[in-house]
Amino acid sequence: MNDQATPYNITELQDFLQQHRNLAHQMLHGFLALNQPFMLRSELHDAFLTVCKTSPDCALHASPFEDVIEHAQEAAQDATWFCLALRLRIARWCYLRIHLETMVLEIISVSEYLAFKERLLTGVSQPEWTLEIDLEPFSREFYKLQESDSIGRGVEFLNRRLSSKLFEDLNKGDKRLLDFLRVHQYRGQQLMLSRTVDDVKRLRDVLRQADSQLALLAAETPWQEFQQKLERLGFCPGWGRNAARTRETMRLLLDILEAPSPGNLEKFLSRIPMIFSMVIISPHGYFGQSNVLGRPDTGGQVVYILDQVRALEEEMRRRLDEQGTEIEPQIIILTRLIPDADGTTCDQRLEPVVGTRHARILRVPFRSHQGDVIPQWISRFEIWPWLERFAQESQREILAELGGRPDLIVGNYSDGNLVASLLSQDLGITQCNIAHALEKTKYLYSDLYWKENEEQYHFSCQFTADLIAMNAADFIITSTYQEIAGTNDSLGQYESHMSYTMPGLYRVVHGIDPYDPKFNIVSPGADNSVYFPYTHTEQRLTHLYPEIDELVYGAQPHEEIRGSLKDHDKRLIFTMARMDHIKNITGLVEWYAKSEPLRRQANLLLVSGYVDPNRSADEEERGQIHRMHALMDEYGLDGEVRWLGMRMEKSMTGELYRYVAEQRGVFVQPALFEAFGLTVIEAMSSGLPTFATRYGGPLEIIEDGISGFHLDPNYGEQTAERLAEFLERCRSNPDYWDRISAGGLRRVEEHYTWKRYAERMMTLSRVYGFWKYVTDLERTETRRYLQMFYGLQFRPLAERIGA
């Protein structure tokens, strides 16, 4: 049990079950009659309501048992026991079981609940010994958040809790801060403080002397003009580029030494020149700057990282300049070199990142055990046997390329995060993880039925890698709150890794804690040089208009296009995503096909996958392509649906959004689940009213009815109705379209820009680096445990794939 508190009195619940044994017996045996050993929240609720409907005066209404069902996320049952997993509040769980004959109620542990699920699945009443993973003991003494509203604000929590704690022991905290300021160097050049400032009393004295000298100088006096005077006091470059900035930084430090406050501490640490180079890791897919999007395993993550790098380099350079250092930041994107590059640049070892000064893509090949380079693309689900050697060879390449170790490592997705963990461990560098998506939540019961999915997805490796990387990371960046903790009614991606079982492999009783202060929400944006409002006519790429007109309305046969829009007066419903099951493009086509009001008012424009299934190397994508053709044939959509099975450069994509917006169309993102939703941000940035899935990031991005609309992909008919109603309302009241368009633009500008992202990311890296240095944020015991788990569990699983 993860939380001893319960939302009701257990004795009261037990009394209710005994007093209404017949009714409770009817209810529980009704669940059993469904012949489902495992039941989801929705199934439990539906079955409960069905029983209640049989009697308007049913005693189950407003009863303790109804409260149980309300909190239940899932159930497991056999002929003897009915077990429930109750989510009392976000990331706080309790487990109960009820005996079907006696109605005796018991609280059980998470381990007992998971073992019960294993027995139901395997049919073995007394299975062999099972490995249990429990990482909670390693963090019992560490500060944890208590309130769900604080989840994702880890750095704020750490600064509040640790800033005063740091200085409680006389002189110890001051001394740690002093030591921290003296460790900073860049290629042999000392920064911040020299060794002559050897105690805190001396530090206070020289800070006061420097303040007096700086007060006499004009604010814009450059560092070089007073450098010698400050160097005699023990100060080195890094305090500021001019007198005003230097004095302000020093006064922040004096305030911290006098009475530390969380705000001042974060502000001071954000100025320290300590991040000069970083490595961003993304091994899978085709990582390049052109002709890669839409290929297998290649989509939003590539766009995210390239935009991220441009913003981070600019922010790194700005901060280093403001602190008076003449240092050019360097960023390496580490990915895989693919000799069979299929017309991309993925066979090039080094590739400069367009729009940056010194950022580049470094590609390292996968090698077999014999040392041979693996030439072909490998699915992200098959990548695991190659990563350890990839990490080893990448380490040598990175050190040679940068002339030393980087200051920060950022992993992306499960594979990149695992490589980041290996490199961070060897080099002693601060590690940041970005999941983008955790596969465990995408597939129903993916942990429980892992063996059935093993041949195709190799979840055993992926979930093990996730568990290692999550716990190894110094801090974790998520795009939204619900990525960590879900909503009141649904689990977050990370929360789903708190406890689960993979029968026959291992049982996780405490894997990851969403209340851990390593979690921080830092939302990305869209490249504002590409995705800008359709009303900014002076920036519009007018030379692309004829090509876009031909793409959307052209009648000439084309092997990469299916469908020709007959009625050009209809509005456009636009969508763009990979052609896979989760993105649900075929689902949108089916909703449209079955809605006469929608077909009457609008055409459907799709940019997704290939039209020819033989061009795809991905089995799931080929299946979706065949389904798309079948839908278009069945419903006769060739005059109303335009399917562009092609890849587009960013400039063309940005102008296509604006083209649809100019025609007063809408954008629809119909995914079954979307971790964040970059296309949602891109569409809103262009002024295009947007409908997007309520499962995942778009639920937070969009304010329903204000800056766009939420849709439930499980109820396609309702979504089609809402789309048709919106279009009809816009026809009768054109101002309504303008209002939603303006709301989307305002929302993006306030919350989703790369500038905001880069500022926060650079601050976080410094703050976590500081706390890692002065406290036990290093979590040495955890790392040792994870090393053992990696060697004894992950490595054999990965070797089986490559065997």
Side-chain angles (χ1 to χ4, degrees):
M1 182 167 56
N2 298 64
D3 195 322
Q4 295 295 327
T6 56
Y8 45 79
N9 186 292
I10 290 295
T11 303
E12 183 182 340
L13 176 59
Q14 178 67 82
D15 290 344
F16 175 85
L17 292 174
Q18 294 300 324
Q19 292 169 13
H20 302 274
R21 285 190 61 176
N22 289 339
L23 187 58
H25 192 275
Q26 176 189 348
M27 169 64 72
L28 297 180
H29 279 266
F31 288 150
L32 189 62
L34 296 174
N35 199 29
Q36 293 178 231
F38 308 108
M39 299 179 68
L40 296 173
R41 173 185 173 86
S42 59
E43 295 167 331
L44 282 166
H45 284 209
D46 290 346
F48 180 82
L49 291 174
T50 298
V51 171
C52 289
K53 285 178 182 177
T54 60
S55 173
D57 299 323
C58 177
L60 291 170
H61 283 300
S63 70
F65 192 77
E66 183 179 43
D67 197 23
V68 168
I69 297 299
E70 181 62 32
H71 285 85
Q73 286 293 322
E74 66 173 32
Q77 60 181 346
D78 64 9
T80 305
W81 293 102
F82 182 73
C83 295
L84 287 158
L86 308 182
R87 188 173 182 250
L88 309 181
R89 56 190 177 96
I90 289 173
R92 291 291 181 255
W93 292 76
C94 175
Y95 302 90
L96 304 178
R97 69 179 181 184
I98 302 171
H99 194 273
L100 265 65
E101 297 306 320
T102 65
M103 294 297 130
V104 170
L105 170 72
E106 298 176 0
I107 296 177
I108 58 176
S109 67
V110 59
S111 181
E112 290 173 304
Y113 176 73
L114 295 176
F116 181 71
K117 290 173 68 174
E118 293 162 11
R119 289 196 296 273
L120 288 179
L121 184 71
T122 64
V124 179
S125 58
Q126 290 186 331
E128 297 180 2
W129 175 84
T130 298
L131 172 65
E132 281 198 349
I133 308 299
D134 184 0
L135 288 151
E136 187 174 28
F138 296 109
S139 60
R140 280 177 182 160
E141 303 303 318
F142 196 73
Y143 293 111
K144 292 286 183 72
L145 290 76
Q146 297 297 317
E147 302 303 324
S148 59
D149 287 347
S150 298
I151 290 174
R153 295 160 53 195
V155 78
E156 298 173 36
F157 172 82
L158 279 181
N159 284 339
R160 286 198 306 270
R161 294 303 299 267
L162 297 182
S163 58
S164 57
K165 181 76 173 175
L166 179 65
F167 297 93
E168 279 181 3
D169 296 331
L170 187 62
N171 294 328
K172 286 187 178 180
D174 296 358
K175 183 64 165 60
R176 290 177 194 150
L177 180 56
L178 172 64
D179 291 342
F180 179 73
L181 293 175
R182 298 196 304 175
V183 300
H184 300 296
Q185 294 183 346
Y186 179 75
R187 296 187 175 179
Q189 178 189 12
Q190 185 65 36
L191 300 173
M192 300 304 290
L193 284 179
S194 71
R195 294 290 169 180
T196 61
V197 184
D198 53 5
D199 62 44
V200 177
K201 183 180 183 303
R202 170 69 177 163
L203 175 60
R204 286 176 179 268
D205 288 342
V206 295
L207 283 169
R208 296 188 193 104
Q209 292 178 51
D211 185 70
S212 298
Q213 294 182 22
L214 290 168
L216 302 175
L217 301 176
E220 292 301 318
T221 305
W223 165 266
Q224 290 76 10
E225 292 190 15
F226 54 84
Q227 180 175 355
Q228 288 186 350
K229 290 183 179 180
L230 292 192
E231 283 182 345
R232 285 195 290 270
L233 294 175
F235 295 107
C236 302
W239 293 91
R241 62 182 171 85
N242 57 35
R245 179 80 176 184
T246 301
R247 191 182 186 202
E248 188 178 86
T249 304
M250 290 182 173
R251 286 195 157 197
L252 280 171
L253 179 56
L254 276 170
D255 286 343
I256 291 167
L257 292 171
E258 184 69 19
S261 70
N264 277 350
L265 182 63
E266 181 173 317
K267 190 174 181 180
F268 175 72
L269 293 175
S270 71
R271 297 185 176 201
I272 295 179
M274 55 187 284
I275 307 294
F276 313 110
S277 64
M278 59 190 296
V279 175
I280 297 174
I281 306 172
S282 179
H284 73 256
Y286 291 83
F287 199 104
Q289 299 177 81
S290 61
N291 198 31
V292 297
L293 297 182
R295 294 175 184 271
D297 295 340
T298 310
Q301 183 172 317
V302 173
V303 176
Y304 178 107
I305 292 172
L306 290 171
D307 287 345
Q308 173 198 47
V309 164
R310 295 184 185 100
L312 286 174
E313 188 194 61
E314 185 176 338
E315 179 65 15
M316 290 168 72
R317 182 177 294 108
R318 182 187 70 81
R319 293 197 184 203
L320 291 171
D321 177 65
E322 285 186 344
Q323 293 312 114
T325 63
E326 298 179 357
I327 299 170
E328 274 294 327
Q330 297 191 73
I331 301 178
I332 285 178
I333 301 173
L334 175 65
T335 188
R336 182 198 164 200
L337 186 143
I338 308 174
D340 294 347
D342 192 24
T344 72
T345 57
C346 295
D347 57 349
Q348 297 179 14
R349 177 181 175 272
L350 277 178
E351 179 182 352
V353 175
V354 176
T356 69
R357 294 189 197 174
H358 297 290
R360 62 267 198 200
I361 301 169
L362 171 64
R363 299 186 179 93
V364 177
F366 286 175
R367 294 185 185 273
S368 67
H369 290 301
Q370 293 74 35
D372 300 323
V373 172
I374 307 298
Q376 72 278 8
W377 165 84
I378 298 174
S379 163
R380 73 185 189 275
F381 296 116
E382 305 280 343
I383 205 171
W384 309 107
W386 322 105
L387 293 182
E388 184 171 331
R389 183 161 185 167
F390 173 78
Q392 293 167 351
E393 297 193 1
S394 296
Q395 181 173 324
R396 292 193 294 271
E397 297 269 5
I398 290 166
L399 293 175
E401 191 66 29
L402 293 177
R405 68 178 191 171
D407 303 299
L408 178 67
I409 286 183
V410 181
N412 291 270
Y413 191 69
S414 302
D415 47 20
N417 288 329
L418 184 68
V419 173
S421 299
L422 296 174
L423 289 172
S424 173
Q425 174 184 301
D426 286 347
L427 296 174
I429 302 166
T430 301
Q431 175 192 347
C432 168
N433 280 9
I434 304 175
H436 294 279
L438 292 166
E439 298 291 340
K440 184 174 176 294
T441 54
K442 289 184 180 181
Y443 302 86
L444 192 61
Y445 294 127
S446 56
D447 51 352
L448 203 57
Y449 292 99
W450 70 274
K451 288 184 178 179
E452 286 77 357
N453 294 307
E454 188 69 358
E455 184 175 352
Q456 180 176 1
Y457 295 121
H458 300 289
F459 286 148
S460 64
C461 279
Q462 183 140 22
F463 297 172
T464 303
D466 284 332
L467 202 58
I468 292 169
M470 288 175 193
N471 284 283
D474 295 298
F475 66 104
I476 296 173
I477 292 299
T478 72
S479 299
T480 62
Y481 175 90
Q482 60 179 317
E483 189 178 335
I484 311 169
T487 66
N488 288 333
D489 299 323
S490 62
L491 271 66
Q493 291 186 65
Y494 281 97
E495 185 183 2
S496 74
H497 289 74
M498 287 182 67
S499 57
Y500 60 93
T501 181
M502 303 177 76
L505 189 62
Y506 55 78
R507 180 187 305 152
V508 179
V509 297
H510 195 283
I512 192 72
D513 187 351
Y515 288 88
D516 194 308
K518 69 172 59 180
F519 287 103
N520 291 272
I521 301 166
V522 186
S523 300
D527 184 345
N528 60 11
S529 68
V530 176
Y531 305 103
F532 53 85
Y534 75 99
T535 53
H536 292 188
T537 53
E538 70 285 354
Q539 292 179 258
R540 296 285 298 272
L541 307 178
T542 55
H543 64 282
L544 295 178
Y545 290 4
E547 186 177 350
I548 292 177
D549 266 327
E550 181 62 27
L551 283 174
V552 177
Y553 292 113
Q556 295 298 320
H558 195 295
E559 64 179 5
E560 294 181 320
I561 299 174
R562 178 170 177 180
S564 180
L565 304 180
K566 293 180 180 179
D567 187 346
H568 294 194
D569 293 330
K570 290 182 182 179
R571 294 179 190 255
L572 288 172
I573 298 172
F574 176 41
T575 191
M576 179 169 56
R578 294 193 313 274
M579 184 69 75
D580 63 28
H581 171 69
I582 292 295
K583 295 299 183 182
N584 198 34
I585 298 297
T586 56
L588 172 60
V589 172
E590 187 170 13
W591 305 342
Y592 174 84
K594 292 180 176 180
S595 172
E596 191 277 330
L598 204 53
R599 293 176 68 168
R600 185 176 64 250
Q601 296 184 79
N603 291 317
L604 182 57
L605 175 65
L606 317 169
V607 178
S608 183
Y610 297 98
V611 171
D612 181 1
N614 294 321
R615 295 191 62 190
S616 174
D618 185 271
E619 182 178 346
E620 182 176 307
E621 183 180 39
R622 287 196 300 270
Q624 290 294 302
I625 293 170
H626 285 299
R627 174 164 168 71
M628 179 74 81
H629 284 296
L631 287 168
M632 292 189 71
D633 291 340
E634 179 182 355
Y635 292 98
L637 298 175
D638 281 292
E640 299 163 286
V641 174
R642 182 76 159 175
W643 174 15
L644 307 180
M646 57 181 63
R647 304 181 185 94
M648 294 185 180
E649 295 301 321
K650 286 175 64 175
S651 57
M652 178 66 79
T653 300
E655 198 55 52
L656 184 55
Y657 281 120
R658 290 185 288 275
Y659 180 92
V660 177
E662 198 168 47
Q663 298 196 29
R664 319 285 280 185
V666 298
F667 181 79
V668 179
Q669 202 266 38
L672 301 177
F673 177 83
E674 182 61 61
F676 180 60
L678 275 177
T679 56
V680 174
I681 297 294
E682 292 167 0
M684 293 168 68
S685 298
S686 306
L688 191 53
T690 300
F691 288 70
T693 181
R694 66 185 304 275
Y695 296 111
L699 186 66
E700 291 180 38
I701 296 172
I702 291 174
E703 305 157 291
D704 190 57
I706 300 173
S707 54
F709 302 92
H710 300 146
L711 64 85
D712 190 330
N714 299 308
Y715 298 94
E717 184 178 343
Q718 293 178 11
T719 298
E721 288 176 4
R722 196 173 192 196
L723 270 166
E725 289 170 0
F726 172 78
L727 295 175
E728 176 59 32
R729 185 171 177 181
C730 291
R731 186 191 65 78
S732 59
N733 179 15
D735 289 344
Y736 185 59
W737 188 97
D738 291 321
R739 194 172 85 199
I740 299 300
S741 172
L745 288 168
R746 186 169 54 251
R747 179 71 172 171
V748 169
E749 178 61 28
E750 290 174 355
H751 297 280
Y752 302 100
T753 67
W754 280 114
K755 186 177 186 299
R756 293 175 183 273
Y757 177 99
E759 289 172 352
R760 197 63 190 148
M761 186 74 163
M762 284 295 95
T763 296
L764 289 174
S765 61
R766 287 162 168 78
V767 173
Y768 278 95
F770 170 73
W771 288 123
K772 184 175 180 177
Y773 182 87
V774 301
T775 71
D776 191 31
L777 270 185
E778 184 83 33
R779 305 187 187 191
T780 307
E781 297 88 348
T782 307
R783 288 184 177 271
R784 289 298 185 191
Y785 184 90
L786 295 174
Q787 287 172 1
M788 180 178 65
F789 189 41
Y790 176 90
L792 299 180
Q793 192 72 65
F794 175 81
R795 188 178 281 157
L797 290 170
E799 288 173 351
R800 287 180 207 166
I801 300 175

